[in-house]
């Protein structure tokens, strides 16, 4: 998220809601992105509604590990949305202590299945101040919010909005059209374009095509594909 030497904008594409029932859709979309030279940021939660447990889903685990080996980024995307009150995002209102407990539990699961990450995006991109403050205590270095990307080590934030379909975003035709137009405008101006789609929406022709169109327009305007990543401090060389 630190820009690029060519002076063009950046393109970051993320997919959420990856599980046993959506992994094939995510895989097909990943192949379409591969053909365009675009790596993905994959937003993953250990537990989802319907009693889903990533730790019990060997196929999805393997696919995620293979994608990371090819250059995709793994981003923790909550812990257990099913245990959250209806219509409320999991980390939207949590106090620091409870957030720390959930983050620790999620981090432990991700480590056990070989998918540990230092990147975090709260479900629906909404995080409370307490949860944001708890992230560094558990070892996270980058927090991805709706309007900014927070470098937790340096305590700085880069302002840039998420433009998405599904999981908190609308998916109607007018919204998909607006997303494509916004993507073109941001890429043309050389900004950072953050696109997000839930894997469940990729089975719908409208949202699927909107994401492809947005990516293609960004690439046409020479946006540089990237993934979410944290850049460590660089020590100055001795004279």
């Amino acid at each position: 998220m630190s820009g690029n030497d060519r002076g063009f904008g950046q393109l970051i594409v993320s997919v959420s809601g990856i599980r046993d029932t959506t992994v094939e859709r995510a895989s097909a979309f990943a192949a379409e992105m591969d053909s365009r030279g675009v790596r993905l940021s994959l937003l993953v939660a250990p537990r989802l509604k319907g009693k889903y447990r990533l730790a019990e889903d060997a196929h999805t685990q393997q696919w995620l590990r293979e994608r990371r080996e090819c250059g995709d980024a793994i981003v923790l995307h909550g812990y257990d949305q099913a245990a959250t009150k209806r219509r409320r995002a999991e980390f939207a209102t949590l106090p620091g202590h409870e957030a720390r407990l959930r983050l620790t539990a999620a981090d432990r699961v991700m480590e056990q299945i070989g998918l540990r990450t230092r990147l975090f995006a709260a479900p629906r991109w909404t995080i409370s101040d307490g949860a944001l403050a708890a992230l560094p205590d558990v070892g996270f270095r980058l927090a991805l919010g709706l309007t900014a990307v927070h470098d937790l080590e340096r305590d700085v934030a880069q302002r840039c909005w998420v433009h998405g379909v599904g999981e908190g975003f609308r998916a109607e035709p007018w919204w998909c059209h607006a997303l494509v137009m916004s993507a073109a405008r941001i890429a043309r101006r050389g900004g950072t374009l953050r696109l997000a789609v839930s894997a469940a929406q990729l089975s719908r022709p409208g949202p699927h095509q909107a994401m492809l169109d947005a990516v293609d327009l960004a690439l046409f305007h020479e946006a540089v594909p990237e993934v979410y990543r944290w850049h460590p401090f660089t020590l100055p060389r001795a004279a």
Side-chain angles (χ1 to χ4, degrees), residues 206-228:
H208 183 192
Q209 190 60 51
M211 291 300 295
L212 296 181
D213 290 346
V215 168
D216 288 342
L217 279 169
L219 295 176
F220 174 79
H221 290 294
E222 301 186 90
V224 179
E226 254 291 3
V227 295
Y228 290 114

Side-chain angles (χ1 to χ4, degrees), residues 9 16 32 38 41 47 73 75 91 99 102-103 110 151 166 178 218 221 229:
S16 62
E32 292 175 308
V38 176
S41 296
R47 298 182 179 185
V75 180
F91 282 82
R102 290 199 182 206
L103 289 168
M110 297 293 279
D151 185 324
H221 290 294
R229 67 177 79 243

